[in-house]
Amino acid sequence: MIALHDARHTSATTGADAGVPEHVMQRRLGHADSRTTREVYTHVLPESERKAAELMEAVLGDAATWSPAG
C-alpha cells in the first residue's frame, strides 16, 4: 500500500526525471522553498544513474577524440 505522502515523493522524482523544471515542481507540491523539493522530495532512481553514466561516457568519449584542428 502506498501512502498519499509517498505519492508526493513519486511525483517530485518522476517530474525531475522527465525534465520538469524544479520551480514548477516546487509550486505543484506547495513548497515555499525549492530546496525542500530538491533535497527532501526528489530521489535519484537507478535508471537515472545509468542514463547519467551513459551520457557522461558519451561526452567524455567524444572529448577524448576531440582535437583543436577539428
Side-chain angles (χ1 to χ4, degrees), residues 10 20 25 27 47 53 64-65 68:
T10 301
V20 176
M25 290 309 303
R27 196 173 210 185
E47 179 66 13
T65 60

Side-chain angles (χ1 to χ4, degrees), residues 3-45:
L4 183 58
H5 183 77
D6 294 339
R8 293 172 56 81
H9 289 264
T10 301
S11 178
T13 300
T14 304
D17 278 357
V20 176
E22 187 176 291
H23 72 280
V24 174
M25 290 309 303
Q26 169 200 351
R27 196 173 210 185
R28 289 182 54 89
L29 294 170
H31 297 149
D33 187 348
S34 64
R35 185 174 169 182
T36 302
T37 307
R38 179 179 60 252
E39 294 181 7
V40 177
Y41 282 83
T42 303
H43 307 285
V44 179
L45 300 174

